[in-house]
Amino acid sequence: MNFSEFLLILHFILCLPSFCSGESSQERKPKGSKRGDMSPTEIMKSLRETYNKLDPPSSDHPTEVRIGIYVNSFYSINEQTMDYSVNLYLRQSWLDQRLSFSHLTNTTEKFRMADHSWNSIWIPDTFFRNEKAASFHEVTIANRFLRLNRNGELWYVIKISAVFACPMNLQYYPLDSQACPIMFESFGYTSDTIKFGWLDDPVQQVTDLQLPQFSIKKKELRDCGQNYTAGYFPCLEIRFHLQREIGYFLIQVYIPSILIVILSWVSFWIHVDASPARVSIGLLTVLTTTTMSAGARATLPKVSYIKALDVWMIACLVFVFASLIEYAIVNVLARKKFANKDQGNVPTKPAESKGPKRFQGDRAKSIASTSVNVGRFANRGISALRAKSIAEQGRATPERDDIELSSLMIHRSIGSETNKSPNEFISAKQRVLALFNRVSEYVWNDKSAHDGKSRARKVDKISRKLFPISFVFFNVAYWTIYSSHYRSI
């Protein structure tokens, strides 16, 4: 066997596997691809020959970009800075006829484009108009997805964490609701080049989405296009209507403040002489209410209008402060007891025996008293003749004088009710005011209340009913007004 025959046999042995398999090197394809299909790299290579990413997809009409989001989480809704944070997928879809590969044969219907390919094609310049801070997710790879369909339609998804501004009206806080928007606007293209539209299901969210203090009541889609100096720029807005949950505030604010107000009423059942106990309860409740009010407003902005929480805390502070003031009044009334007692212990001279001189002196005093009473009664609308007859009768006590005077005034007022002139109406009003003053003076000079301590106990008994009833009325008015707004959301 010569050398040439050896080479021929070796060449036959090496070429034998190719003949057995029945395929040529040109027919071999990467593993997993369909037989005869063009690879995405080959498709993009053929499409980019005449493609310019700086030009919009269409030059004769605006390119429609459809927008939608998928919400992963809501968190950090901050009333003080009036913003909220969201983690979401931003979805955009548009048609670019320049990237259509329907004219190519042996191609797939759609494919995922390679990473960073979004830098080599035209994409919308969408931005968040009310965004304060935002970031893309790069762990473990860039969280972006770009898919191209056969007809040239692109599907672009980005994962974003952003902080959005949310103007809040805290007038009904914490029984309030807020409308927090997300605004999508084109940064550089006017409505002549691009227009925005919604996807079929523009707002989606995870099934177990939970917010710390709010619940999402509804989602509203709006158009927020705006005219600037450079032209009219398209804009779309998703507005989340959030309602605050009141459970936290019931436990942390309302119920404790109610208990503190009730605690301030305990002093009404403590003896008026127990000054340390009553003062301690009053000061403790006032300081506790003040501290609680400051803590509840610590996380809120310094707005110029009054909030529902302010109304509640101010009312509670007024009630506990009034309880402390009530003890101050009671204490003043109770101390009058000792002054009256001292005056009652002053020794009096024994009565002298009646005689002509004593009788003349008493008669002179009676005449002087009669003249004074006549003038006093005449000023109150009683005729001088009747006043003189009343005064000459001589009364033992001033209280009886006041009672008869009041009775006469009432009878006179009733008798002249049918024929009154305007001046008589004014005098009747004066008589009513005088009667009220005299009756009030009679009540406070009631001899059944032997000293100031009895009057102090009377004030305590009135306060035991007046304060709770007033607080119940306030609660009814407060919850009726603010809960009606809460239910209407």
Side-chain angles (χ1 to χ4, degrees):
M1 179 184 295
N2 55 20
F3 183 73
S4 60
E5 291 177 351
F6 174 77
L7 291 177
L8 181 62
I9 294 172
L10 181 63
H11 178 72
F12 177 77
I13 294 172
L14 293 175
C15 295
L16 184 61
S18 300
F19 288 109
C20 295
S21 62
E23 61 182 18
S24 62
S25 60
Q26 289 81 5
E27 293 175 342
R28 293 173 186 170
K29 297 294 179 182
K31 185 178 181 180
S33 64
K34 294 183 178 180
R35 184 179 179 86
D37 287 353
M38 294 179 64
S39 65
T41 304
E42 293 174 340
I43 295 174
M44 291 305 301
K45 184 177 179 180
S46 63
L47 295 176
R48 288 176 183 171
E49 293 177 356
T50 59
Y51 190 87
N52 186 1
K53 70 174 186 178
L54 299 178
D55 296 332
S58 177
S59 59
D60 55 348
H61 63 273
T63 301
E64 182 181 10
V65 178
R66 297 190 300 160
I67 296 176
I69 62 171
Y70 183 90
V71 179
N72 292 317
S73 63
F74 265 86
Y75 58 96
S76 185
I77 302 176
N78 195 328
E79 293 84 6
Q80 193 166 18
T81 56
M82 291 195 178
D83 55 32
Y84 68 105
S85 301
V86 180
N87 180 275
L88 55 84
Y89 293 115
L90 173 61
R91 298 167 169 176
Q92 300 179 84
S93 177
W94 69 96
L95 183 64
D96 194 341
Q97 292 287 353
R98 298 172 298 174
L99 296 177
S100 174
F101 55 92
S102 58
H103 62 282
L104 299 177
T105 59
N106 299 329
T107 58
T108 184
E109 290 296 325
K110 56 186 176 182
F111 63 88
R112 180 181 183 273
M113 299 180 66
D115 291 343
H116 304 288
S117 58
W118 46 80
N119 295 325
S120 58
I121 65 172
W122 183 91
I123 59 174
D125 59 345
T126 308
F127 79 105
F128 299 108
R129 194 167 83 182
N130 64 323
E131 169 256 328
K132 289 186 174 182
S135 61
F136 297 111
H137 290 254
E138 302 290 341
V139 180
T140 57
I141 60 173
N143 295 174
R144 299 191 188 191
F145 175 80
L146 182 60
R147 187 181 66 194
L148 177 61
N149 292 342
R150 187 181 182 86
N151 62 347
E153 182 181 4
L154 291 115
W155 177 259
Y156 186 38
V157 181
I158 317 173
K159 187 178 182 181
I160 300 173
S161 292
V163 179
F164 298 102
C166 178
M168 298 182 183
N169 182 6
L170 302 174
Q171 182 178 359
Y172 292 93
Y173 178 90
L175 302 170
D176 62 329
S177 64
Q178 305 298 336
C180 295
I182 299 179
M183 298 179 180
F184 311 92
E185 187 175 312
S186 174
F187 190 82
Y189 295 112
T190 62
S191 57
D192 298 331
T193 306
I194 189 175
K195 66 177 181 179
F196 285 153
W198 296 110
L199 293 172
D200 294 336
D201 190 4
V203 184
Q204 295 180 349
Q205 65 186 42
V206 294
T207 56
D208 57 345
L209 180 62
Q210 294 182 352
L211 283 71
Q213 290 186 16
F214 291 85
S215 59
I216 301 177
K217 289 302 179 181
K218 64 178 180 178
K219 310 173 190 71
E220 183 182 1
L221 306 179
R222 305 178 65 181
D223 190 321
C224 57
Q226 189 167 347
N227 242 325
Y228 296 95
T229 306
Y232 184 85
F233 288 80
C235 175
L236 292 179
E237 176 183 338
I238 300 174
R239 179 163 292 190
F240 296 95
H241 290 267
L242 310 176
Q243 186 176 38
R244 195 183 304 274
E245 300 293 343
I246 196 176
Y248 170 82
F249 296 93
L250 283 176
I251 297 172
Q252 299 293 330
V253 178
Y254 286 103
I255 294 179
S257 58
I258 290 174
L259 295 178
I260 291 172
V261 173
I262 295 175
L263 178 63
S264 67
W265 301 338
V266 175
S267 63
F268 303 151
W269 279 265
I270 300 177
H271 197 272
V272 293
D273 292 335
S275 297
R278 298 191 67 161
V279 172
S280 298
I281 290 177
L283 292 178
L284 177 64
T285 53
V286 169
L287 294 177
T288 304
T289 305
T290 304
T291 304
M292 183 179 296
S293 176
R297 295 195 298 264
T299 58
L300 297 178
K302 296 177 176 62
V303 294
S304 58
Y305 51 83
I306 190 168
K307 301 176 286 294
L309 185 64
D310 296 334
V311 173
W312 177 266
M313 297 308 300
I314 290 174
C316 292
L317 182 61
V318 168
F319 273 99
V320 297
F321 185 75
S323 300
L324 184 61
I325 296 300
E326 188 270 349
Y327 174 66
I329 297 174
V330 166
N331 186 265
V332 171
L333 293 176
R335 283 183 298 164
K336 286 186 177 181
K337 161 191 173 182
F338 305 102
N340 294 335
K341 186 176 181 180
D342 294 338
Q343 291 178 2
N345 292 335
V346 174
T348 56
K349 296 181 180 180
E352 298 179 1
S353 59
K354 295 182 180 180
K357 186 176 181 181
R358 172 67 176 175
F359 177 78
Q360 291 178 1
D362 293 340
R363 182 62 178 172
K365 291 180 181 179
S366 177
I367 294 173
S369 177
T370 300
S371 61
V372 172
N373 289 332
V374 167
R376 181 159 59 92
F377 294 163
N379 292 332
R380 299 186 181 217
I382 301 176
S383 63
L385 183 61
R386 178 60 177 162
K388 183 177 180 181
S389 62
I390 295 172
E392 288 177 348
Q393 291 176 3
R395 285 164 298 279
T397 60
E399 289 78 9
R400 183 179 174 185
D401 174 61
D402 293 334
I403 294 174
E404 291 190 16
L405 173 61
S406 300
S407 301
L408 290 172
M409 291 173 63
I410 293 173
H411 286 301
R412 179 176 175 82
S413 176
I414 295 175
S416 59
E417 187 69 26
T418 56
N419 49 357
K420 285 184 177 180
S421 64
N423 293 332
E424 290 178 343
F425 274 110
I426 297 176
S427 61
K429 180 179 179 181
Q430 293 176 351
R431 289 196 298 272
V432 170
L433 292 176
L435 175 62
F436 175 78
N437 293 332
R438 300 302 295 178
V439 171
S440 175
E441 183 180 353
Y442 172 73
V443 170
W444 284 103
N445 292 331
D446 187 8
K447 293 304 181 180
S448 61
H450 301 288
D451 51 21
K453 189 171 291 187
S454 300
R455 299 192 188 96
R457 285 194 291 266
K458 184 186 296 184
V459 173
D460 274 343
K461 290 180 181 179
I462 295 174
S463 301
R464 293 172 191 174
K465 298 179 181 179
L466 179 62
F467 276 74
I469 292 174
S470 301
F471 193 65
V472 168
F473 280 138
F474 165 73
N475 273 268
V476 171
Y478 179 88
W479 293 108
T480 300
I481 293 173
Y482 288 105
S483 62
S484 61
H485 169 79
Y486 189 76
R487 291 192 302 267
S488 64
I489 299 171

